[in-house]
Amino acid sequence: MLRRAPRTAGLAALLAAATLAGCTSLIAGRPSAIFDLTAPGTAMAAHGSAQVLVPEPTTVHALDTDRIAARPGPSEYAYLPGAVWSDQLPKLLQARLIETLQNSGRTRAVAKPGQGLLIDYQVVLDVRAFEYTSEGAVADFIVRVMDDRTGRVIRSRGFRHVVPVASPGNGGIVQALDQAMDQAFVEIANWALG
């Protein structure tokens, strides 16, 4: 297991490589790897009757991209070299949260805006962080459950998970981000639909 100082140095080295080599492939529009996230399977025995809407999550501009974010310091962003998400991050997280809520077995239906359902509740996600840092892979979300008929927030809560990066390179970082998202989304499904 790496100590904190070498891990921070490793993050700095990875981001320096992005500046020197990776940015060229991203600017040219040809990333060397496209990564996806997978929704956890959280099926429960009970079936709910609620119909739930999941709007596109909100986030800062630096995360509203298909590039995979890293934080070399608390006030700066960088991106993994040659690697992108399969879609813009907010749309990708929206799709995986919808899938997670569907997999829970606690709803009648889950949809995104424009799919024509009569909605009971909205699960609104704000992405505070979804990035690689010296701590590891960080998934940090604020979630609000809203009554769709009244617009009233029924409950609100933060969910933050940090997963150590087990193997070096973009694949290991993405795997840890996927695990951090899975842990958060299982908690969100249990909390929002419980």
Side-chain angles (χ1 to χ4, degrees), residues 84-140:
V84 295
W85 293 120
S86 60
D87 202 340
Q88 300 291 104
L89 180 63
K91 290 181 182 187
L92 184 56
L93 291 172
Q94 177 189 34
R96 296 303 167 254
L97 182 56
I98 288 170
E99 193 176 342
T100 301
L101 296 173
Q102 289 168 336
N103 289 347
S104 75
R106 294 181 173 189
T107 64
R108 179 179 295 160
V110 185
K112 59 185 178 180
Q115 292 185 321
L117 290 181
L118 180 61
I119 300 300
D120 298 306
Y121 302 101
Q122 291 189 35
V123 176
V124 181
L125 185 74
D126 179 41
V127 183
R128 298 179 69 185
F130 197 74
E131 59 218 13
Y132 173 50
T133 72
S134 58
E135 289 182 274
V138 178
D140 189 355

Side-chain angles (χ1 to χ4, degrees), residues 11 14-15 68-72 76-80 130-133:
L11 176 60
L14 177 66
L15 297 178
I68 301 171
R71 297 290 294 265
E76 60 183 312
Y77 278 98
Y79 300 96
L80 298 186
F130 197 74
E131 59 218 13
Y132 173 50
T133 72

Side-chain angles (χ1 to χ4, degrees), residues 3 12 21 28-29 35 37-39 41-42 47 61-62 67 79 81 123 126 129 137 139-140 148 162 167-169 183:
R3 293 188 181 102
F35 290 97
L37 297 167
T38 56
T42 58
H47 292 282
H61 181 72
R67 296 177 71 188
Y79 300 96
V123 176
D126 179 41
D140 189 355
D148 194 67
V162 180
S167 60
Q183 291 172 10

Side-chain angles (χ1 to χ4, degrees), residues 4 14 31 39 57 63 79 112 136 175 178:
R4 190 167 187 81
L14 177 66
L63 294 176
Y79 300 96
K112 59 185 178 180
Q175 183 179 22
D178 193 38

